[in-house]
Amino acid sequence: MAISMTYKVAVVGAGFGGIGMGVGLRRAGITDFVIFERDGDVGGVWRDNTYPGCSCDVPSHLYSFSFAPYRSRRIRYPRQAEILEYLRRVAADHGLVPHLRLGTAIREASYLETEGGWELTTSDGRRVVAEVVIFAVGQLHRPSIPDLAGRADFAGPSFHSARWDHDQDLHGRDVAVIGTGSSAAQMLPTLATKARRVRVFQRTPHWVLPKPPADFGPLARTALRLPGAHHLYRRVLYYGSDAVLAPIMRRGWSARPAEWAARRYLHNRIADPRLRAKLTPDYPIGGKRIIFDSHYYSALARENVELITDPIARITRDGVRTADGAHHAADVIIYATGFRAPEFLVPITVRGRGGVLLHDQWRSGATALLGMAVPGYPNAFLIAGPNSFNPAGSNPGMKECQVDYIVRCLHWRDRIGASAIEVRETAMREHQQWLEQAVTKTVWPAMGPNCWYKHDSGRVTNPWPASARAFDRALRRPPSESFRAVPPDPANPTDPAASEPAAGIHSE
Ligand code: N01
């Protein structure tokens, strides 16, 4: 018996990706869709991360959608609450509220061969059927807490940076912060003014570059009154980050000016040569996400802050023991230890054509055409999937490119009268070859295992290895170059498009 479709499109996740997708669908005249969100609010990582000092190190004019431009004359770098408010406003202003199903996690997604659609199962066992499923769950939503010996023995409160326990008053307490990435760097200046003592446990130093003040000065505020100034500023930021920051991840001379600037900055900020040595990375700049922050080093240099670089041996009842035998007392432990970023779509079980499990296919690292679609999974798309994280610019911008492309795919599907479309194997192969070649030109393959850009297999699965403009260009190509129609009935495999060769999608 034929199953009737509940929705044309089901979007999973209501962060930047899901909200952007919802707006893209409505702007394309598609209103028969639903957005599932496991939490009780929209916002994704900007809802989850509420640690003190949480903000965005990308300017707000760039870190926003082009269709809902950030037009503040005051804020240059938005704080967490401002971004969350922005996303709530975009959702409300663009009529997404009736489409939201908050507090509904998707546990399974299975392709329906005969109908060419997807059956989704929610975590409370309900079933929903949609023609198309779009996973917009992001890369940085599952906290990673290392399985340190003795972790359960700790008697005090401990929590991950993305699950901040606001009931804990840190005033006058001894706080241990494990990890020294962007989250730790952003929280440290505030923690240091509250806690009696902060001990920061560093495994690997990160490269740090300063950034301008969070708010615009009087001159910039006046300039932003000029007609077209906000738009022009966004364009300058877009081309500027592509020209200045994107080359930093490449091997060779192009990163040298940035590395020199980072060394100078460290030298100027940290007077103690021993502390400076501890903070100097031994890998090329760009190997890990650069910390853009002007207060981290000065916080580390405070009297009540200590940087500990001996490896952690175990967590004890009342602190952290390091491999040199020293015990570091702690009333509270904060795990600023990052996310399970290379585990795309976990914990959703995704079954494609023939019941093939996507995670079996991704055992040695996730792959997808432009971070967006996988052969064998018709009518399924991802936003911010494998190798589409931009370490040098605006991720909302990358997601917007994918949203536009997916909308064009849906229009194309309707135009050719197919019930389902999927990426051609040839297009996927060609993309993967290009990607692997592009990755070899970056500093990432030489990085060790402690880098969230890489899967355990050693494959670089998360960042995009070229410029934002190259991503945009690749996603402007017609879907017909990379996708094919899937016959609705497997017993009737007439597919004239299946054998067409794929055209080159990369021009860089
Ligand atoms: O996490 P991270 P994050 N023992 O993975 C350490 C984005 N973001 O939450 O480097 C000891 O960067 C780990 O050490 P090592 C941004 O893209 C954006 O800070 O692996 N230490 C590292 O120091 C960023 O990249 C903004 O050796 C352990 C730290 O924990 C991403 O989020 C702001 C350990 C984890 O650093 C994640 O940042 C904030 C162990 N067993 C974040 N395991 C913006 O402003 C891990 N560590 C846009």
Side-chain angles (χ1 to χ4, degrees):
M1 194 179 71
I3 296 176
S4 63
M5 297 289 168
T6 320
Y7 299 102
K8 185 172 174 104
V9 182
V11 180
V12 183
F16 259 103
I19 298 288
M21 192 67 239
V23 176
L25 291 171
R26 282 194 67 96
R27 282 155 63 103
I30 301 168
T31 53
D32 182 15
F33 69 91
V34 67
I35 303 176
F36 293 109
E37 166 55 53
R38 71 174 152 88
D39 218 284
D41 195 1
V42 301
V45 296
W46 297 106
R47 174 203 58 225
D48 293 347
N49 286 271
T50 58
Y51 57 80
C54 181
S55 66
C56 184
D57 60 13
V58 180
S60 46
H61 282 73
L62 187 61
Y63 201 87
S64 49
F65 294 121
S66 64
F67 57 79
Y70 220 92
R71 288 269 155 86
S72 174
R73 284 204 309 272
R74 181 176 68 81
I75 299 166
R76 183 189 274 120
Y77 293 101
R79 287 101 177 152
Q80 172 263 337
E82 287 151 356
I83 306 176
L84 181 56
E85 199 39 52
Y86 167 82
L87 281 170
R88 286 179 182 148
R89 205 173 53 241
V90 172
D93 290 353
H94 288 80
L96 298 190
V97 174
H99 298 272
L100 289 168
R101 300 293 176 272
L102 301 176
T104 311
I106 297 299
R107 193 184 62 201
E108 284 179 30
S110 301
Y111 182 62
L112 303 167
E113 302 265 353
T114 317
E115 294 79 8
W118 286 83
E119 183 179 76
L120 308 180
T121 311
T122 63
S123 49
D124 57 5
R126 278 175 294 142
R127 287 174 177 193
V128 177
V129 179
E131 291 175 32
V132 174
V133 62
I134 300 168
F135 298 103
V137 297
Q139 298 192 2
L140 299 168
H141 62 293
R142 293 179 66 231
S144 165
I145 298 190
D147 193 17
L148 296 166
R151 191 159 66 84
D153 300 343
F154 187 64
S158 64
F159 45 89
H160 188 270
S161 55
R163 300 288 183 270
W164 197 267
D165 183 349
H166 290 277
D167 290 340
Q168 301 305 325
D169 182 5
L170 301 179
H171 281 99
R173 303 179 85 180
D174 281 1
V175 177
V177 176
I178 300 180
T180 52
S182 302
S183 302
Q186 289 188 347
M187 73 177 69
L188 187 63
T190 314
L191 292 188
T193 59
K194 285 189 179 170
R196 192 180 78 86
R197 192 150 196 88
V198 185
R199 296 188 171 90
V200 181
F201 292 82
Q202 173 186 277
R203 187 165 64 178
T204 317
H206 284 236
W207 288 101
V208 180
L209 283 168
K211 65 182 178 58
D215 289 345
F216 290 115
L219 199 65
R221 287 182 198 200
T222 308
L224 284 169
R225 285 181 188 278
L226 296 170
H230 289 280
H231 179 69
L232 179 66
Y233 180 49
R234 183 180 166 100
R235 297 316 288 167
V236 168
L237 290 170
Y238 176 76
Y239 289 108
S241 55
D242 251 11
V244 178
L245 296 178
I248 292 177
M249 63 202 171
R250 302 219 182 99
R251 281 189 290 117
W253 63 269
S254 62
R256 288 211 192 114
E259 201 165 303
W260 178 84
R263 281 184 201 280
R264 287 294 320 148
Y265 178 61
L266 173 61
H267 194 270
N268 292 341
R269 280 305 163 114
I270 303 290
D272 174 0
R274 282 184 45 226
L275 181 56
R276 219 187 294 142
K278 287 180 177 182
L279 289 168
T280 305
D282 64 357
Y283 60 88
I285 193 166
K288 288 169 179 269
R289 170 78 160 55
I290 297 168
I291 294 173
F292 296 96
D293 197 285
S294 303
H295 304 288
Y296 177 52
Y297 282 157
S298 43
L300 276 173
R302 283 173 61 113
E303 285 269 298
N304 67 332
V305 176
E306 189 183 349
L307 183 74
I308 294 155
T309 53
D310 289 296
I312 295 172
R314 66 176 299 116
I315 305 292
T316 66
R317 217 184 152 274
D318 54 358
V320 179
R321 189 171 300 287
T322 41
D324 58 350
H327 187 260
H328 309 275
D331 300 317
V332 180
I333 297 180
I334 295 161
Y335 291 95
T337 41
F339 300 88
R340 304 170 81 107
E343 297 174 6
F344 288 87
L345 293 189
V346 174
I348 306 172
T349 303
V350 182
R351 289 187 194 86
R353 272 197 290 121
V356 176
L357 285 169
L358 183 56
H359 286 109
D360 278 353
Q361 232 169 286
W362 280 353
R363 223 175 277 135
S364 61
T367 53
L369 182 92
L370 294 157
M372 206 187 48
V374 184
Y377 298 81
N379 281 1
F381 298 91
L382 291 105
I383 293 177
N387 294 104
S388 66
F389 173 83
N390 182 352
S394 163
N395 279 292
M398 301 289 276
K399 292 170 185 173
E400 211 177 316
C401 293
Q402 292 175 322
V403 164
D404 290 347
Y405 189 87
I406 293 168
V407 165
R408 280 188 290 122
C409 283
L410 300 185
H411 282 323
W412 180 68
R413 186 187 77 125
D414 288 348
R415 220 170 34 247
I416 63 172
S419 61
I421 56 169
E422 76 170 311
V423 180
R424 293 195 190 117
E425 290 280 359
T426 45
M428 182 65 219
R429 226 177 3 253
E430 187 222 8
H431 169 67
Q432 199 57 30
Q433 276 165 5
W434 172 87
L435 185 86
E436 278 163 24
Q437 185 57 29
V439 163
T440 62
K441 295 181 192 150
T442 70
V443 293
W444 304 321
M447 293 297 293
N450 298 331
C451 172
W452 70 257
Y453 292 173
K454 290 174 94 169
H455 184 264
D456 290 345
S457 64
R459 200 176 196 172
V460 175
T461 47
N462 291 64
W464 170 247
S467 64
R469 276 173 306 136
F471 192 70
D472 186 21
R473 270 200 304 277
L475 283 164
R476 280 179 192 274
R477 311 292 293 239
S480 57
E481 286 186 2
S482 308
F483 282 75
R484 69 183 185 102
V486 177
D489 182 353
N492 178 26
T494 46
D495 179 15
S499 57
E500 285 172 28
I505 53 172
H506 295 287
S507 52
E508 189 181 89

